[in-house]
Amino acid sequence: MNYPHYSGDPASETEWFDALIRLARFLRGPGGCPWDREQSSGDFAGFIRNEGAELSDALASGDNKHASEEFGDTIFTILATAAAAEVEGRFTLEDALREAHAKMIRR
C-alpha cells in the first residue's frame, strides 16, 4: 500500500488526530486496504468492544506502554467506524464530535 498522505510525524495532538482520520479514510478508498473496504461501520463498532477490553486489561496490568498502544488502537478503531459511517451516509465525524461536545457541556 502506498500511503500518499504520510510526510513525517505530526507535531501536535491535533495533527496526530487529523493524520489518523485521514489514514482511516484512505484505507477505505481505492488505494487503501481491501479488508478495510469490506468492513461496515457496524463491523468496526464490534471491534471497539475488543479493543476497549484490551485497553482495560492493559491499564489493569500497570504496563503503561501497552496501555498507550491499546488506547491508540481503540481510538483508531473508533475513527475507522466513523470513516465507514461517513461512506454509508450514516453520520460524519464532525457531526458526532459536535454532538459529543454539546452533550458533555449540557451535563
Side-chain angles (χ1 to χ4, degrees):
M1 172 181 65
N2 182 17
Y3 181 54
H5 301 290
Y6 187 76
S7 60
D9 287 347
S12 69
E13 290 173 350
T14 302
E15 290 175 5
W16 274 112
F17 190 84
D18 183 58
L20 282 175
I21 189 58
R22 281 188 287 125
L23 178 57
R25 288 172 177 149
F26 171 79
L27 289 172
R28 294 197 56 82
C33 174
W35 182 87
D36 281 81
R37 283 192 299 274
E38 291 175 5
Q39 308 310 307
S40 70
S41 58
D43 294 331
F44 281 117
F47 301 146
I48 293 169
R49 280 189 285 265
N50 298 336
E51 293 299 342
E54 291 175 10
L55 171 59
S56 182
D57 291 346
L59 288 167
S61 78
D63 183 342
N64 293 336
K65 182 169 177 21
H66 187 219
S68 177
E69 176 186 350
E70 295 301 337
F71 185 77
D73 290 352
T74 303
I75 289 173
F76 188 79
T77 305
I78 290 168
L79 294 177
T81 303
E86 289 173 344
V87 169
E88 295 165 5
R90 292 175 169 267
F91 59 84
T92 67
L93 176 60
E94 184 176 349
D95 292 338
L97 293 173
R98 181 182 303 109
E99 290 173 19
H101 186 269
K103 187 177 194 176
M104 294 305 113
I105 296 297
R106 277 194 315 272
R107 290 182 171 178

